Amino acid sequence: MFNPSRDEVRQFFCTTWHKQRSGGILTPLETMAADWIQAHPEYHDALSDTEDASARDYSPEAGQTNPFLHLSMHLAISEQVSIDQPPGIRAAYEKLSQRLDSPHEAQHRIMECLGQTLWEAQRSGQPPDSDAYLQRIEQEASR
């Protein structure tokens, strides 16, 4: 299993953004990441300064969104949908995307479901409950 460090994740997104802007050749994963970076112009400055990105802490208490966590969650959800894992997530995502008329907003709603699922897993010391995760997404899609 691939388990990058905080610095490796940040380097990946900063390098991808630099390659995107300079017309470099992107790997398939970088292409997917670049699409999400393009969809979040509010992160462009943070991704342009690799040195600052490596050193900076993003504190929820200070009302800061961590662009690297946010973009990583987009990639994780995109991968889950592409391989339909957990089974049924692709259909729930498509239904939610249609309901909201926005695949991007659907990803953000799923991100909330994923965050809740991960928080519960950390709190309980158990692996994430994929059934509960999918149920949250399906409830969001059915509203």
Side-chain angles (χ1 to χ4, degrees), residues 21-100:
R21 289 184 329 197
S22 65
I25 297 171
L26 301 172
T27 67
L29 183 61
E30 289 171 333
T31 299
M32 190 185 311
D35 289 344
W36 285 117
I37 292 167
Q38 288 284 18
H40 286 282
E42 68 274 23
Y43 299 153
H44 292 177
D45 287 343
L47 297 170
S48 295
D49 188 343
T50 306
E51 189 174 312
D52 183 58
S54 294
R56 188 157 183 200
D57 284 322
Y58 294 90
S59 167
E61 295 80 21
Q64 297 175 313
T65 299
N66 182 329
F68 304 100
L69 175 59
H70 187 87
L71 293 168
S72 293
M73 290 180 81
H74 271 304
L75 285 181
I77 293 165
S78 294
E79 181 67 12
Q80 290 171 352
V81 169
S82 77
I83 63 171
D84 199 29
Q85 186 60 39
I89 193 171
R90 183 181 298 137
Y93 166 76
E94 289 171 2
K95 184 177 178 181
L96 182 57
S97 293
Q98 288 176 348
R99 183 177 76 75
L100 298 172

Side-chain angles (χ1 to χ4, degrees), residues 119-134:
W119 179 81
E120 287 177 356
Q122 286 180 326
R123 198 172 125 206
S124 70
Q126 299 294 315
D129 183 341
S130 60
D131 292 334
Y133 173 49
L134 185 58

Side-chain angles (χ1 to χ4, degrees), residues 3 57 63 69 72 92 94 101 109 112-113 118 123 127-128:
N3 190 16
D57 284 322
L69 175 59
S72 293
E94 289 171 2
D101 194 29
R109 300 285 179 92
E112 292 174 19
C113 299
L118 294 174
R123 198 172 125 206

Side-chain angles (χ1 to χ4, degrees), residues 8 47 114 121:
E8 289 169 333
L47 297 170
L114 179 57

